[in-house]
């Protein structure tokens, strides 16, 4: 049987269909824009101090420059704060906004400091910088300014629930309420932290959906958190962020299925070991179960299914993997055909005891690969990110960079510098040549 309710989404449109029946959490605040920033530099020197700047100690040529300059208003938050020291080295930079100081990084031999993330919109900031000259004396400079207040806004949402457990194939999924044109800036505002080292990449599914997918399946039991530093990001001309988006979740036990429409068996790997080989019956001719590596979406016991000649029939222990209505489910009426012939309307029919076992183990994000079908899967008919090869995934990023994540956060790296590539094998990645199911 096949559920008649779920309809495929379309590339380039927001994932409202993906999430329409599922809980969406962690709403990001609005985003917006206005005038260009006033900017300049504060350069404390002997006898010439811009308003609001102070110095102490040395009157040598050691100079500190702060951008935005003191007294600036309508400052563009996406440009951040830059502090430079001439003929000296920076020793401290503190950017205060009434809560935790803004993070930043030193470069060029400790002579340049730049804020790590965009500034908050509509806020007063005070920057205090200290440098030490060659003579060992200290110079201090300050700058106070205000960032612009947005005039246009958008929201962002993530599917992942707080501290929920997901399968090893689960991507991070973020949906934006307006089309994003500054994709690279949005990607660079993302920070991913993982308890195990993970390499992945960001991918734009159209212009309103951003996903992070690992190069290989997540290691089981990995703890994952992410922050979208969207407050202050210009996501499109005239549209800025006004709040950040964050979430934490866990990858559960590895549960991977490969179901063959040709030999009529489903192989199940649990906790990285072959767990079972169950007879199945998949879609008959005309109702073929389509090839591709999908992810489980939701499960119900029972769910109501409709199709030619039947309507709202209760089906037990049903685990969904496409929006168009394909499930792995209990099918006591086809036990005699399971293992020998395909008689379903597109679902994967399993004996009741086996369906119950799989249902109890399944969580959203468990990989389900269909092989042997004469029909290719359709992009976005379910969570189809594993239709993509690693190269295709990178091409879908605005930066075309890989992301290396770990306990201390994530960094962007050139893919050519990676010491290892996509792993092979059912337990690590989608099946070889799976990309043929998706003409990208």
């Amino acid at each position: 049987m096949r559920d008649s309710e779920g309809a495929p989404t379309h590339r380039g449109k927001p994932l409202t269909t993906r999430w329409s029946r599922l809980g969406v959490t962690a709403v990001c605040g609005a985003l917006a824009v206005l005038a260009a920033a006033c900017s300049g530099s504060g350069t404390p020197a002997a006898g010439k101090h811009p308003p609001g700047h102070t110095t102490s100690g040395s009157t040598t040529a050691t100079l500190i420059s702060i951008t935005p300059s003191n007294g600036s208003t309508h400052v563009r938050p996406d440009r951040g704060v830059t502090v430079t020291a001439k003929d000296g080295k920076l020793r401290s930079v503190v950017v205060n906004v009434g809560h935790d100081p803004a993070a930043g990084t030193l470069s060029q031999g400790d002579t340049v400091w730049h804020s790590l993330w965009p500034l908050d919109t509509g806020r007063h900031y005070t920057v205090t910088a200290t440098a030490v000259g060659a003579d060992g004396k200290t110079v201090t400079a300050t700058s106070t300014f205000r960032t612009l207040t947005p005039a246009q806004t958008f929201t962002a949402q993530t599917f992942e629930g707080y501290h929920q457990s997901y399968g090893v194939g689960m991507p991070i999924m973020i949906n934006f309420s307006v089309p994003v044109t500054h994709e690279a800036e949005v990607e660079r505002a993302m920070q991913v932290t993982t308890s195990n080292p993970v390499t992945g990449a960001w991918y734009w599914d159209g212009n309103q959906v951003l996903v992070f997918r690992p190069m290989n399946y997540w290691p089981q039991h990995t703890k994952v958190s992410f922050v979208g530093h969207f407050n202050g990001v210009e996501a499109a001309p005239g549209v800025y962020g006004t709040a950040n988006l964050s979430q934490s979740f866990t990858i559960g036990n590895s549960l991977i299925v490969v179901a063959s429409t040709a030999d009529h068996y489903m192989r199940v790997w649990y906790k990285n070991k072959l767990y079972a080989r169950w007879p199945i019956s998949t879609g008959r001719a005309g109702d073929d179960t389509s090839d591709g590596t999908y992810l489980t979406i939701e499960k119900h016991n029972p769910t109501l299914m409709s199709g030619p000649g039947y309507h709202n029939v209760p089906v037990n222990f049903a685990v969904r993997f496409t929006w168009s209505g394909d499930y792995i489910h209990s099918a006591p009426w086809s036990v005699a055909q399971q293992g020998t012939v395909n008689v379903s309307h597109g679902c994967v029919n399993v004996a009741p005891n086996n369906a119950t076992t799989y249902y109890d183990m399944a969580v959203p994000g468990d990989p389900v690969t269909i092989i042997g079908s004469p029909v290719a899967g359709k992009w976005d008919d379910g969570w189809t990110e594993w239709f993509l090869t690693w190269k295709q995934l990178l091409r879908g990023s605005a930066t075309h960079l890989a992301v290396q994540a770990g306990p201390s956060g994530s960094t962007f790296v050139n893919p050519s510098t990676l010491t290892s590539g996509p792993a092979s094998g059912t337990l690590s990645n989608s099946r070889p040549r799976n990309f043929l199911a998706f003409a990208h």
Side-chain angles (χ1 to χ4, degrees), residues 261-396:
T261 67
D263 75 5
H264 315 295
Y265 276 85
M266 181 174 95
R267 291 158 179 82
V268 181
W269 285 264
Y270 183 56
K271 296 183 179 180
N272 293 325
K273 295 181 179 180
L274 183 62
Y275 178 83
R277 180 176 178 267
W278 294 330
I280 59 173
S281 181
T282 59
R284 62 192 180 185
D287 285 324
D288 301 273
T289 311
S290 302
D291 267 358
T293 295
Y294 306 88
L295 299 174
T296 53
I297 300 170
E298 59 185 351
K299 62 182 182 180
H300 297 285
N301 181 39
T303 191
L304 299 179
M305 294 191 179
S306 300
Y310 59 95
H311 180 69
N312 284 345
V313 175
V315 176
N316 293 327
F317 301 105
V319 180
R320 188 175 195 154
F321 62 91
T322 72
W323 294 122
S324 58
D326 293 319
Y327 291 77
I328 298 172
H329 67 74
S330 173
W333 57 84
S334 70
V335 169
Q337 288 80 33
Q338 292 166 21
T340 58
V341 62
N342 293 326
V343 297
S344 84
H345 291 87
C347 289
V348 178
N349 286 187
V350 184
N353 288 343
N354 296 337
T356 303
T357 299
Y358 180 71
Y359 182 94
D360 289 342
M361 295 188 294
V363 296
D366 293 326
V368 174
T369 297
I370 306 298
I371 61 173
S373 174
V375 177
K378 296 179 180 178
W379 177 253
D380 269 351
D381 186 12
W383 296 332
T384 50
E385 284 76 15
W386 291 96
F387 280 19
L388 300 170
T389 65
W390 174 238
K391 290 182 178 180
Q392 288 172 327
L393 190 70
L394 289 169
R395 285 201 296 268

Side-chain angles (χ1 to χ4, degrees), residues 27-215:
V27 177
C28 170
L31 302 185
V33 66
L34 219 353
C38 302
S39 62
S41 61
T43 309
K48 295 183 179 180
H49 305 316
H53 286 67
T54 62
T55 63
S56 62
S58 174
T59 57
T60 67
T62 301
L63 304 175
I64 298 176
S65 173
I66 302 176
T67 303
S69 61
N70 190 57
S72 297
T73 59
H74 303 298
V75 168
R76 284 187 54 166
D78 54 324
R79 293 182 176 175
V81 172
T82 301
V83 181
T84 60
K86 180 181 179 182
D87 297 324
K89 292 189 176 184
L90 292 168
R91 285 295 177 260
S92 82
V93 177
V94 179
V95 181
N96 280 320
V97 67
H99 51 76
D100 293 337
T105 56
L106 278 169
S107 61
Q108 301 183 37
D110 294 349
T111 63
V112 177
W113 184 96
H114 190 76
S115 51
L116 187 60
W117 307 112
L119 305 176
D120 292 350
T121 57
R123 300 296 300 272
H124 283 99
Y125 278 85
T126 299
V127 181
T128 304
T130 301
V132 176
D135 57 3
K137 295 182 179 180
T138 298
V139 174
T140 300
T142 63
S143 176
T144 300
F145 59 88
R146 182 178 176 84
T147 55
L148 63 82
T149 298
Q152 301 180 53
T153 67
F154 73 76
T155 60
Q157 297 174 322
T158 179
F159 168 78
E160 277 77 13
Y162 184 63
H163 285 180
Q164 296 295 306
S165 181
Y166 296 99
V168 297
M170 191 69 182
I172 295 171
M173 297 183 287
I174 301 172
N175 194 22
F176 296 89
S177 63
V178 300
V180 175
T181 59
H182 298 173
E183 295 98 336
E185 286 79 1
V186 172
E187 288 181 37
R188 291 191 179 98
M190 296 299 305
Q191 178 81 345
V192 180
T193 302
T194 59
S195 59
N196 296 306
V198 172
T199 299
W202 293 103
Y203 181 90
W204 287 94
D205 185 6
N207 56 17
Q208 290 183 238
V209 177
L210 177 64
V211 301
F212 176 86
R213 200 209 80 185
M215 178 169 59

